[in-house]
Amino acid sequence: MSLKNRGGIAGGETSTRSMVSKKWTFLFCVGSFCAGLLFTNRMWTMPEPKDIIRRTGTEENKMNLVSGDCDIKSIIKKQDSNDIIGEVSKTHDAIQTLDKTISNLEMELAAAKAAQESILHGSPLSETANPTESSKKRKYLMVVGINTAFSSRKRRDSVRATWMPQGEKRKRLEEEKGIVIRFVIGHSATSGGILDRAIEAEDMKHGDFLRLDHVEGYLELSAKTKAYFVTAVSMWDAEFYVKVDDDIHVNIATLGSTLARLRSKPRVYIGCMKSGPVLAQKGVRYHEPEHWKFGEEGNKYFRHATGQLYAISKDLASYISINQHVLHKYANEDVSLGSWFIGLDVQHIDDRRLCCGTYPDCEWKAQAGNLCIASFDWSCSGICKSVERIKEVHQQCGEGENAIWNAVF
């Protein structure tokens, strides 16, 4: 074989080997890449869920400590909550006590103002009082205001002849027992007219009137009641202020003893408590023009004392004096008075001895040792035909002439 042929054969073999070598190199690279992927997947396999929640003993202890700490915090929060509720309750009680204290201070301030006005304008004094005594404010047990009208002269005389002491006895009653009794009346629409002059002449004779800056009228009884308490507080420093109608019988000593036992009770409102219907129908007696304020037709009034006789303590009378310009007046004066105390810390005392019937009711109660304070006929809202019958009632239901002088208040 020639050299040319040998060269050709050698060149062909070299080319073939080169191609084989490249193929194996490529395959080797691909294999290496796949092996690398396989190795990587095995090395970075994600842990199973059970491996995630598996903890060492130390970690569990730490978690228990954290859990226990949460429980302690929970208990502490509950204790703090209880403490906060307790503190809120204490604060609420303290606020209520403070409110009552402020109320008492306001009442005392009103009484002090009333006393100052009384000193500046003068107060009722007995004829035997000397100048040194006149500069001092006398303390009374009670002021009894007998509500009367211009046309009630005979009623007043019948009261003077029975349960109301006259002349020196009335002055002695004020000085020794601290009890002031006055007929309460305002003035006529024509001030200084014949009606006013008649009252002035009667007062000159008996000296037992309390004149009000008020125009008399049946529909003005609420205003008159307010004016009475305002005027009485400014003139006499008493523990109690009483309103009485001029057609009922009163046992003064029994009334004084009853009120004296209530001295320690602040803001007392005593009477025969009732809650009558609100009358919406026009033209009937005791019609209430503002009936709509009390709810639906047929509703009843709040509890209040019947108008024949009731008494209030000094604090309440002073409250009326302070707030006289904003206290609303209803058609019925007993309802008006009761409404003025709604929302106040007032003790309502229902004493049925303040509304006994006449004979034989009052006599039976007296024999049982339960002497009546006031007697009248419910059917007449007073003693029926009081001018003719009050002496009889006084004999049958009275406490005796010496009861007032033997009483210790």
Side-chain angles (χ1 to χ4, degrees):
M1 183 175 295
S2 61
L3 291 173
K4 185 177 179 179
N5 291 340
R6 289 179 178 268
I9 295 170
E13 290 179 358
T14 304
S15 175
T16 301
R17 288 178 180 175
S18 174
M19 290 179 66
V20 171
S21 177
K22 289 179 180 179
K23 289 180 179 179
W24 281 108
T25 302
F26 175 75
L27 291 174
F28 179 77
C29 289
V30 170
S32 297
F33 178 74
C34 291
L37 287 176
L38 180 63
F39 177 79
T40 304
N41 287 337
R42 288 183 176 274
M43 289 297 293
W44 292 97
T45 302
M46 293 295 293
E48 296 180 3
K50 62 181 182 179
D51 294 332
I52 294 176
I53 61 174
R54 188 180 297 135
R55 302 183 182 91
T56 63
T58 304
E59 291 174 339
E60 289 181 357
N61 290 337
K62 290 181 180 179
M63 293 300 296
N64 289 336
L65 289 175
V66 173
S67 175
D69 186 54
C70 290
D71 291 340
I72 293 172
K73 289 181 179 179
S74 155
I75 294 171
I76 292 174
K77 286 182 179 179
K78 289 181 179 178
Q79 292 177 346
D80 291 343
S81 176
N82 292 334
D83 291 341
I84 291 172
I85 293 173
E87 290 298 325
V88 170
S89 178
K90 291 179 181 178
T91 303
H92 179 68
D93 293 339
I95 291 173
Q96 287 185 329
T97 303
L98 183 60
D99 287 341
K100 291 182 179 180
T101 303
I102 292 173
S103 176
N104 290 335
L105 290 174
E106 288 178 345
M107 298 293 187
E108 292 176 5
L109 177 61
K113 288 181 179 179
Q116 184 180 16
E117 291 178 2
S118 178
I119 293 172
L120 294 175
H121 300 293
S123 58
L125 297 167
S126 65
E127 294 177 358
T128 58
N130 57 47
T132 58
E133 291 176 339
S134 64
S135 61
K136 297 179 181 179
K137 184 70 173 179
R138 169 70 191 274
K139 185 74 173 181
Y140 294 91
L141 170 64
M142 63 180 179
V143 175
V144 180
I146 307 173
N147 187 35
T148 191
F150 290 113
S151 59
S152 299
R153 172 63 187 266
K154 290 183 179 180
R155 284 187 179 183
R156 291 192 290 273
D157 286 340
S158 67
V159 170
R160 293 182 180 115
T162 53
W163 60 267
M164 179 180 180
Q166 291 299 294
E168 292 299 322
K169 288 184 178 180
R170 183 171 57 80
K171 296 176 183 178
R172 179 186 169 194
L173 187 66
E174 295 180 11
E175 295 171 1
E176 295 183 10
K177 303 300 180 180
I179 298 175
V180 177
I181 306 177
R182 294 288 190 277
F183 287 106
V184 179
I185 196 168
H187 56 81
S188 64
T190 56
S191 183
I194 187 172
L195 296 176
D196 293 309
R197 291 200 299 270
I199 292 296
E200 291 169 3
E202 189 178 345
D203 194 23
M204 288 289 292
K205 180 180 179 180
H206 298 283
D208 55 5
F209 278 93
L210 172 60
R211 302 299 302 274
L212 305 177
D213 184 14
H214 166 77
V215 178
E216 286 290 322
Y218 179 76
L219 298 178
E220 297 297 328
L221 290 178
S222 294
K224 183 176 181 179
T225 299
K226 184 194 295 185
Y228 160 62
F229 285 118
V230 171
T231 306
V233 165
S234 69
M235 295 182 68
W236 296 283
D237 182 14
E239 296 178 87
F240 297 93
Y241 298 84
V242 185
K243 180 263 178 182
V244 180
D245 284 345
D246 62 1
D247 58 350
I248 72 171
H249 181 270
V250 180
N251 285 320
I252 290 295
T254 308
L255 174 61
S257 299
T258 300
L259 295 181
R261 289 193 291 269
L262 300 175
R263 279 188 171 116
S264 61
K265 298 181 182 296
R267 296 177 295 281
V268 169
Y269 175 31
I270 180 173
C272 288
M273 298 296 166
K274 65 175 183 177
S275 181
V278 181
L279 302 179
Q281 184 180 354
K282 293 183 178 180
V284 300
R285 192 178 185 186
Y286 306 128
H287 165 65
E288 178 57 72
E290 297 180 276
H291 56 86
W292 59 273
K293 289 185 177 180
F294 298 92
E296 300 299 326
E297 186 174 348
N299 281 0
K300 292 185 176 182
Y301 287 114
F302 40 78
R303 299 291 286 179
H304 61 279
T306 186
Q308 285 82 1
L309 188 153
Y310 50 74
I312 61 175
S313 60
K314 177 183 177 180
D315 288 347
L316 296 182
S318 299
Y319 172 83
I320 294 173
S321 179
I322 295 173
N323 300 283
Q324 57 180 300
H325 301 297
V326 295
L327 295 177
H328 185 69
K329 301 183 293 294
Y330 290 100
N332 303 304
E333 55 99 5
D334 52 355
V335 172
S336 294
L337 183 72
S339 72
W340 298 339
F341 303 145
I342 294 294
L344 300 183
D345 187 12
V346 175
Q347 183 174 1
H348 291 61
I349 299 178
D350 183 19
D351 193 333
R352 309 315 290 183
R353 294 178 303 154
L354 293 169
C355 53
C356 294
T358 56
Y359 179 83
D361 180 55
C362 59
E363 187 176 35
W364 291 343
K365 291 179 179 177
Q367 291 174 356
N370 192 24
L371 191 65
C372 292
I373 297 174
S375 301
F376 57 89
D377 301 309
W378 281 104
S379 60
C380 299
S381 297
I383 299 175
C384 297
K385 299 181 180 180
S386 64
V387 174
E388 294 82 10
R389 294 184 58 235
I390 195 169
K391 287 185 179 180
E392 177 187 357
V393 175
H394 183 62
Q395 292 173 354
Q396 296 168 339
C397 307
E399 59 195 354
E401 185 177 354
N402 294 323
I404 187 64
W405 310 116
N406 296 329
V408 178
F409 305 122

